[in-house]
Amino acid sequence: MSKEHTTVTDSALDDCDLVYTPVKSIGGIVDELRTSFDGGTLREVSERKRHLRALLKGLRAEEKRLLAAVRNDLNKSEDETYMYELSPVLFEIGLFLDKLDKWARPEGVNIAGEQPAFMLSKAQVRREPLGTVLVIGAWNYPIRLALLPLVGAIAAGNTVVLKPSEGAPHTAAAVERLLTEYVDARVVRVVQGAVEEATELLQHRFDHFFYTGNGAVGRVVARAAAEHLAGVTLELGGKSPAIVHADVADLEPTAFRIMWAKLTNAGQTCVGVDYLLVHRSVKDRLIPLLVDASRGMFGAAPQKSADYGRIINARHWTRLDDMLRASEGTPVAVVDDAADKTDRYIPPTIVDGVRGDDSLMRAEIFGPILPIVTYDTLDEAIAFVNERDHPLALYVFASAASAERVISRTRSGSASVNDTMFFMGSHATPFGGVGPSGVGSYTGKASLDTFSHRRHVLKRPMWFPSPGLDSMRGAPFSGRENSWKARLCCALSYPTARPLRQTLLAKLATFIPFWRLLLATPSFLWALFTAQPTIRRPADSK
């Protein structure tokens, strides 16, 4: 693998074999996958695992092609792509191969322990596939953000239409080759294209819509899902802050972890640090350490570094340049080189003295520019965060007490104390936003939940309860002879025994297994012996 930087211009992106899917064929693709799902292609867990193994085989075989594709699109180093994109997908597949049999198994539920009316019943919650789902990937992590949800969708038993982002065309073409060569077309189909093709896709009925990207398109996807009364997962973004309080334990690792999250992938990371809130007492000590952290990773001239990425295209480069030029903050000297539009290069940039209404604070930056906002009290920092949309992530560098105060008084998709986006490495916890930063979550078991319907199945015997006792659930309720019905039905179905539970003895009784059942037993036995069937045999019957 070459360690020399190669300039990547927009013209280089034209040298790509990405072919858009004919719009007229999209409806047929969706229908074929629906037919495949209805035919039970992925009904059995063993079949799902077989297709996951095929994908795993393909990822290993196509590794070099995938890494080179991302290099062409984002100038991302192959080591970084493997670490942050390919490796998580490989791990996710392995996780499902190890755990899917257990996770997909029906879960038995003991209802009778709380509600005696369900005695002798068997209750299960089954995870069942939703059907045919749509996954729309993003360009900033074009392997990870396309294939991670795809793995969960297949593991849950769905057929999938995958639309990679046309913003990373080399990777989109490589992902299509991977899936076409190694995964059964009855399970996954790839649709390539831009606005026209995506618009056509959204006209079709899917059983779940999964989109990663910006809020504007997220709203369009959400409307399409609502039109079909289908579920939707939106992985969006927002201005994720890092707060550095006066009682932070150590500023040097703080600076490194902040700049790592800001500069990885040239700042084009949805959970990257968007802006920095710094207590006035530590700001002057922190800023030089931020500069040192940047230089330690990419040197004094990051444009020459083989590890420093590029902005995805000229339009986004211009957006960042305009945002920076309009800022009223004070730039801090970080590197020796300068921005280069022909190379789509924006150097690591720190801007001090930024106010809340600055151009850098109006929208998600999505680039290697770090605005610094100064505060004097922790309540001031909390208020600053709460005045804005809920971010996808929130980072706090402070003492345990201060950090807990921040987290308990703010909202975000995820939060991390004394670190930044390291939490993204976890596949044992759900990842997702809240409000404007996203809807729903995924990764690991959370992906299985996202792409599954939790179906309650209740099995009841025909011989129990007796016809007389069974009659308590239905009319007639009027008349003295039927007065027992509602009372007993509520006692068995929704036992409360509030007067008894108010005593110390009753509270101790709650530690006894099946205590609700024990409290309802006297009423149940009384009804069993005294209740009469409401349907009687005619007098002349024999």
Side-chain angles (χ1 to χ4, degrees), residues 349-502:
T349 304
I350 297 173
V351 183
D352 190 15
V354 173
R355 298 195 307 266
D357 59 353
D358 192 87
S359 62
L360 294 173
M361 296 303 298
R362 293 170 191 161
E364 184 177 8
I365 295 172
F366 225 60
I369 303 169
L370 181 64
I372 297 179
V373 179
T374 308
Y375 71 89
D376 293 300
T377 68
L378 195 57
D379 286 342
E380 182 185 344
I382 292 171
F384 192 93
V385 172
N386 288 336
E387 287 168 359
R388 289 154 177 78
D389 289 341
H390 305 318
L392 187 56
L394 183 147
Y395 309 118
V396 188
F397 292 84
S399 67
S402 297
E404 182 56 35
R405 185 176 177 186
V406 171
I407 292 174
S408 63
R409 297 187 183 185
T410 57
R411 295 183 65 193
S412 63
S414 298
S416 184
V417 177
N418 294 330
D419 211 328
T420 51
M421 60 185 188
F422 188 75
F423 76 93
M424 287 293 292
S426 168
H427 288 239
T429 49
F431 168 70
V434 57
S437 62
V439 177
S441 59
Y442 75 120
T443 64
K445 193 176 182 180
S447 286
L448 191 66
D449 291 336
T450 290
F451 290 107
S452 299
H453 167 60
R454 290 170 62 83
R455 187 183 189 186
H456 175 203
V457 177
L458 182 68
K459 297 180 180 180
R460 299 266 289 161
M462 291 296 294
W463 57 270
F464 181 85
S466 65
L469 188 59
D470 204 21
S471 69
M472 67 178 169
R473 72 170 87 184
F477 294 104
S478 60
R480 184 176 179 182
E481 68 277 13
N482 295 310
S483 63
W484 61 276
K485 288 186 174 182
R487 184 174 66 253
L488 180 60
C489 188
C490 289
L492 295 178
S493 299
Y494 312 108
T496 56
R498 286 189 179 89
L500 293 177
R501 292 170 65 184
Q502 292 175 355

Side-chain angles (χ1 to χ4, degrees), residues 257-287:
R257 293 172 185 184
I258 288 171
M259 294 307 285
W260 166 67
K262 167 50 70 176
L263 301 180
T264 295
N265 199 26
Q268 299 165 115
T269 304
C270 59
V271 292
V273 174
D274 187 89
Y275 66 97
L276 193 55
L277 280 164
V278 185
H279 192 274
R280 192 176 304 275
S281 66
V282 296
K283 187 184 74 170
D284 290 343
R285 287 183 289 144
L286 178 64
I287 289 178

Side-chain angles (χ1 to χ4, degrees), residues 1-5 71 74-80 263-266 297-298 302-310:
M1 178 176 63
S2 173
K3 285 294 183 180
E4 296 180 359
H5 165 66
R71 182 73 163 186
L74 287 154
N75 196 52
K76 193 184 297 185
S77 77
E78 295 182 11
D79 291 328
E80 182 178 320
L263 301 180
T264 295
N265 199 26
M297 287 186 281
F298 303 108
Q303 188 173 15
K304 298 178 180 178
S305 170
D307 297 315
Y308 192 78
R310 295 296 183 272

